[in-house]
Amino acid sequence: MKACNTFLLLLAVSAVHRSASESLMYPYGPEAGDRVTPVKDDGASDEIPISQKFTFFNKDYNSVFVNNNGVVSFATAVPSYTPDAFPLADGRAFVAPYWGDVNNEITGKVYYRESKDPQLLQRISNDIEKYFPNLSFKATWMFIATWFNVAYYGSVSNKVNTFQAVLATNGQRAFIMLNYDKIQWTTGTASKGDPETGLGGIPAQAGFNSGDQTHFFNIPGSRTPDILNIKSTSNVNEPSRWVFQVDTFKVPGGCTYKADFVKFGTVFWKDAACTQMCKCLESGELACEEHRCAGSETCQPNLWYFTCQAPAENPCL
């Protein structure tokens, strides 16, 4: 077990949460009728029965767990605080808006509720139809989990994160939406992060794992320092939001290669020698061919892929 953290963080947390007009977050908190998970390092809710089945990669679930460490899981709780690389070998199925070492004993709340509120169902239906324009979708159920101003384990700073996972279904099709409001840290000290900055070590993972060791997805920057910038990224042209269909896997806005994402029009190379060039087509398919860098270019890493880059100009010439 991790050692007890005796640091007391004095942080004024506003009871008034940001409204929908100020961010892409769906309503949350006591005023929205939310419940809260236990105030416990690596804690989780009890198993939460849900009133409508949720289909996740062709498997139906009738309950969820909301885990303090940034995960909504199916079938079992996830107390793990250091994120492992996807796919996981142990069969756990879960959605990870921001899997990292949260400690709500320091500060922050983890809220959750299921909802059949007509206004919220209409809102999520409108959002999904905007992102999937060829799909008619009318939600009949949704589940909202929100991590509000949560600190990292071992924190001696006032850095906090606020993010959200929204699950929605009409009984057949199922969607996941991940929203980000404030991201100031990536790593707890038990994951080798810096206690003063919340950075370094093994940073947070975002995406999901189906449990079958085949279907999984990594939001760009996962388990790297770049995950700190997740609020500026998106696959639906709205920075701070990622959306997926998950009854069967569909990602709007780009292409996937080995569970990683690139936007439409992106050109990249698969290998460190830059011999296989690929382009993400508007159809969502990758077109790849043998193609090397030009003579003056060098093959350089960029996130999980490689690009051909021209030599930098010498300003003294």
Side-chain angles (χ1 to χ4, degrees):
M1 293 181 62
K2 296 180 294 186
C4 255
N5 183 0
T6 58
F7 178 76
L8 299 178
L9 178 65
L10 300 178
L11 178 68
V13 178
S14 171
V16 180
H17 301 159
R18 296 183 66 182
S19 69
S21 64
E22 296 175 303
S23 80
L24 294 176
M25 303 277 283
Y26 277 64
Y28 62 91
E31 62 272 26
D34 280 348
R35 301 176 67 182
V36 294
T37 65
V39 177
K40 180 181 180 182
D41 183 40
D42 304 328
S45 69
D46 292 332
E47 185 173 11
I48 305 163
I50 56 178
S51 59
Q52 188 162 339
K53 69 178 175 67
F54 187 81
T55 304
F56 189 59
F57 289 94
N58 297 309
K59 187 172 182 179
D60 294 340
Y61 294 93
N62 296 299
S63 64
V64 298
F65 294 81
V66 178
N67 303 272
N68 289 353
N69 287 335
V71 170
V72 176
S73 57
F74 306 97
T76 184
V78 178
S80 308
Y81 51 88
T82 298
D84 297 313
F86 295 159
L88 303 179
D90 59 12
R92 288 178 293 173
F94 60 78
V95 180
Y98 204 81
W99 183 17
D101 197 358
V102 169
N103 188 354
N104 64 346
E105 293 178 329
I106 298 176
T107 193
K109 299 288 186 181
V110 183
Y111 295 116
Y112 66 90
R113 76 186 184 282
E114 71 169 353
S115 178
K116 293 186 178 180
D117 177 82
Q119 289 186 326
L120 283 180
L121 292 176
Q122 188 61 55
R123 177 178 168 183
I124 192 71
S125 299
N126 292 343
D127 280 339
I128 295 302
E129 289 193 331
K130 177 171 62 175
Y131 306 136
F132 294 82
N134 298 320
L135 188 68
S136 178
F137 177 74
K138 299 298 179 185
T140 55
W141 174 91
M142 61 192 299
F143 187 89
I144 303 169
T146 307
W147 289 256
F148 173 66
N149 277 357
V150 291
Y152 56 94
Y153 180 82
S155 173
V156 294
S157 77
N158 61 358
K159 290 187 174 184
V160 292
N161 289 348
T162 297
F163 54 91
Q164 184 177 75
V166 181
L167 285 61
T169 184
N170 63 359
Q172 296 178 320
R173 295 190 175 101
F175 297 87
I176 290 170
M177 175 185 292
L178 306 180
N179 297 319
Y180 300 90
D181 183 68
K182 182 192 303 178
I183 300 296
Q184 299 179 336
W185 61 264
T186 66
T187 321
T189 57
S191 304
K192 302 182 180 179
D194 187 297
E196 295 183 353
T197 65
L199 307 176
I202 301 176
Q205 166 88 27
F208 46 79
N209 187 74
S210 72
D212 63 8
Q213 300 187 44
T214 300
H215 299 99
F216 57 98
F217 184 84
N218 300 304
I219 288 180
S222 289
R223 296 180 85 245
T224 79
D226 290 328
I227 199 65
L228 185 67
N229 303 314
I230 194 170
K231 189 179 174 182
S232 65
T233 70
S234 175
N235 67 322
V236 291
N237 293 319
E238 293 193 81
S240 76
R241 172 171 285 176
W242 286 78
V243 184
F244 314 91
Q245 184 175 347
V246 295
D247 52 297
T248 57
F249 184 47
K250 293 182 182 178
V251 183
C255 306
T256 57
Y257 175 71
K258 293 185 177 180
D260 288 303
F261 178 82
V262 291
K263 291 184 176 181
F264 291 139
T266 300
V267 175
F268 67 95
W269 277 256
K270 293 181 179 180
D271 59 301
C274 285
T275 61
Q276 283 278 335
M277 183 185 75
C278 296
K279 182 175 182 179
C280 176
L281 305 179
E282 291 289 335
S283 64
E285 297 179 346
L286 289 173
C288 301
E289 62 181 11
E290 294 283 341
H291 188 92
R292 295 180 177 272
C293 297
S296 61
E297 295 177 327
T298 59
C299 187
Q300 297 293 330
N302 184 346
L303 295 176
W304 55 267
Y305 54 85
F306 298 86
T307 59
C308 290
Q309 298 182 17
E313 294 184 5
N314 188 338
C316 297
L317 294 179

